[in-house]
Amino acid sequence: MIVVSNNEGGCGIPATAQLLAEGRSALDALEAGLRLVEADESVRTVGRGGWPNLLGTVELDASVMDGTTFRTGAVGALTGFLHPVSIARQVMEQLPHEFLVGEGAMRFAREIGAEAGELLMPHAENAWNRWFATEVGEADRRNWPNVPMRELCKQAIDPELGRDTTVFLGQDRNRDIAAATSTSGWGWKYPGRLGDSPVIGAGSYADSRHGACACTGVGEMTIRCGTARAVVLYMKTGLSVEDAVYEAVEDMRRLVGGLIGRVTIHAIDAQGHHKVVAVNGLPENHYWIWREGDAAPRAEPAEIIAISDDPTPRPTAHGRYEVMDL
């Protein structure tokens, strides 16, 4: 048994490990761990406490995948509900569909009695208000929100450490493999923007025969490369989990134009091996891992691979305008 999570998953992975040790299914264990991350207001990139979009609204995305049945569930641009990963799970369990977004996702959440709640926390609201007063011109403030936002959304370009998502990969005692993701996406994103987290095959993929992969960071890059599915397919062709991830990095080197920033690729194989690579990463990039027999999950550094000439972090809207708690 094994579970891997990115750096933002530290508050949830102990629960996931415990449930796996108790014999729960991989998908049950991953969902339980992710719910804890979604509820943690100190995690600024997932669930409550996540950064808002340009309109000041927190939009959430999530997905789950069962690597044995290949069933998936995903939600995107969801507002007003606390646990998008559980709503994604119920899309998988209760609907013939795989993906719901926006008003449809919220309608389904209400129908199943999902837990509603306020997502915009004071730290995020204060930062957004300061940004609005500073960066938006007087005429646009008067006409808000009926103004062009194409240029404003470029303030969402947030390479930082490639940690704008929480991802969990796990294998249970039955050797079933699953993947789960949850995110609030880029802060100050264009309303309705979806990253890779809810896109099966881009942000996550699981196949119990071979392994699983999930990504954090610039989802625009992994969408263009189909990274998560590619890693699993590379393992299917016979590559080791390490070489499969390296091959996916080479795919990213082919990207021209668009947003090129930071991506962290997390992968496990069916034999319990794993590999985590931070593309254009910094020394702070790390991940969490637990294996059967370990007393507790532990943090490990990700391998850093540069594919851009200048991967230096740039200032971001929320970085400039967040009001820190004293």
Side-chain angles (χ1 to χ4, degrees):
M1 294 186 292
I2 186 174
V3 57
V4 168
S5 180
N6 69 312
N7 47 280
E8 301 281 53
C11 65
I13 193 172
T16 296
Q18 180 178 344
L19 290 172
L20 287 177
E22 292 172 356
R24 296 284 293 276
S25 72
L27 203 52
D28 286 348
L30 301 189
E31 179 185 353
L34 258 176
R35 285 176 61 92
L36 293 174
V37 182
E38 290 172 339
D40 189 335
E41 295 176 19
S42 70
V43 178
R44 301 297 170 84
T45 58
V46 178
R48 286 174 67 89
W51 297 111
N53 64 17
L54 284 172
L55 293 175
T57 301
V58 179
E59 292 181 315
L60 304 180
D61 310 325
S63 69
V64 298
M65 182 167 185
D66 183 325
T68 300
T69 66
F70 286 6
R71 278 305 310 269
T72 69
V75 292
L78 178 77
T79 65
F81 291 90
L82 301 181
H83 294 294
V85 69
S86 293
I87 300 169
R89 174 78 180 272
Q90 291 308 307
V91 169
M92 185 188 82
E93 298 282 357
Q94 299 194 37
L95 294 181
H97 312 310
E98 309 293 321
F99 202 165
L100 295 177
V101 299
E103 290 295 332
M106 288 179 276
R107 179 188 180 95
F108 177 72
R110 290 190 293 268
E111 186 174 326
I112 64 173
E115 185 178 359
E118 178 59 58
L119 299 174
L120 186 66
M121 295 294 98
H123 74 272
E125 184 176 18
N126 291 339
W128 188 90
N129 286 335
R130 292 182 66 191
W131 166 83
F132 183 76
T134 304
E135 300 288 346
V136 179
E138 182 179 351
D140 282 348
R141 290 199 303 271
R142 286 198 305 267
N143 295 317
W144 193 265
N146 300 314
V147 301
M149 295 186 177
R150 298 186 302 276
E151 295 301 315
L152 290 173
C153 83
K154 294 178 181 178
Q155 297 184 49
I157 307 312
D158 181 359
E160 286 192 314
L161 301 177
R163 63 185 191 189
D164 64 313
T165 300
T166 294
V167 300
F168 277 67
L169 305 172
Q171 183 181 51
D172 60 32
R173 64 177 51 176
N174 295 323
R175 303 186 67 81
D176 292 323
I177 291 176
T181 74
S182 186
T183 186
S184 56
W186 293 120
W188 282 251
K189 62 190 175 184
Y190 200 98
R193 177 263 187 188
L194 294 178
D196 64 331
S197 299
V199 180
I200 302 298
S204 68
Y205 198 81
D207 183 335
S208 295
R209 300 170 299 174
H210 306 294
C213 177
C215 305
T216 66
V218 180
E220 285 75 2
M221 294 169 64
T222 61
I223 289 171
R224 293 166 67 186
C225 291
T227 299
R229 173 70 163 145
V231 168
V232 176
L233 282 177
Y234 289 140
M235 287 191 281
K236 184 177 181 179
T237 67
L239 294 185
S240 68
V241 64
E242 286 189 349
D243 288 341
V245 171
Y246 292 149
E247 195 68 26
V249 174
E250 292 306 306
D251 293 341
M252 288 186 177
R253 293 187 193 276
R254 301 289 298 172
L255 295 173
V256 177
L259 175 57
I260 308 296
R262 289 179 156 69
V263 169
T264 304
I265 304 172
H266 310 74
I268 62 174
D269 67 16
Q271 290 72 48
H273 306 116
H274 77 285
K275 183 65 178 177
V276 179
V277 165
V279 176
N280 287 338
L282 296 174
E284 294 91 332
N285 277 114
H286 67 276
Y287 63 95
W288 293 91
I289 180 169
W290 174 87
R291 289 191 180 92
E292 184 176 7
D294 289 348
R298 67 181 186 276
E300 295 284 349
E303 179 182 356
I304 299 170
I305 299 179
I307 65 169
S308 300
D309 292 334
D310 181 20
T312 305
R314 298 186 291 275
T316 63
H318 62 68
R320 291 193 301 272
Y321 295 111
E322 181 179 9
V323 178
M324 303 300 293
D325 295 328
L326 299 179

